[in-house]
Amino acid sequence: MVINHAGTLRPEFFIAYMNLIMNAFECSVEQARNLTFERLFQSKEDDLGNESYKQFLKAYEAIKQ
């Protein structure tokens, strides 16, 4: 997946991506979070920018409930 590094990604994007991961790999929310972090952020919090990382955490909190 190609991501434009110029803008902040929204929580809806991360929720949709984690749902896709959970459906494709039949995994838990925690596993989907870890895979998303590895794949999109290359396991570095600042890889897509600080604001995108905050939105990622917000999406994770929303999806795990």
Side-chain angles (χ1 to χ4, degrees):
M1 172 182 290
V2 176
I3 297 175
N4 183 354
H5 290 268
T8 299
L9 297 172
R10 299 181 57 184
E12 294 83 3
F13 170 82
F14 293 115
I15 289 170
Y17 191 87
M18 286 187 275
N19 278 324
L20 179 66
I21 294 288
M22 286 188 294
N23 288 332
F25 294 103
E26 297 179 359
C27 63
S28 69
V29 173
E30 183 66 27
Q31 291 170 316
R33 181 225 178 265
N34 292 338
L35 281 170
T36 301
F37 185 66
E38 289 171 15
R39 290 175 178 209
L40 298 184
F41 290 91
Q42 281 68 55
S43 298
K44 294 178 271 181
E45 293 178 7
D46 62 347
D47 197 60
L48 291 178
N50 193 30
E51 192 58 38
S52 287
Y53 183 70
K54 288 179 187 176
Q55 298 303 314
F56 168 68
L57 294 177
K58 184 187 285 187
Y60 172 64
E61 290 299 320
I63 200 170
K64 76 177 188 178
Q65 294 182 16

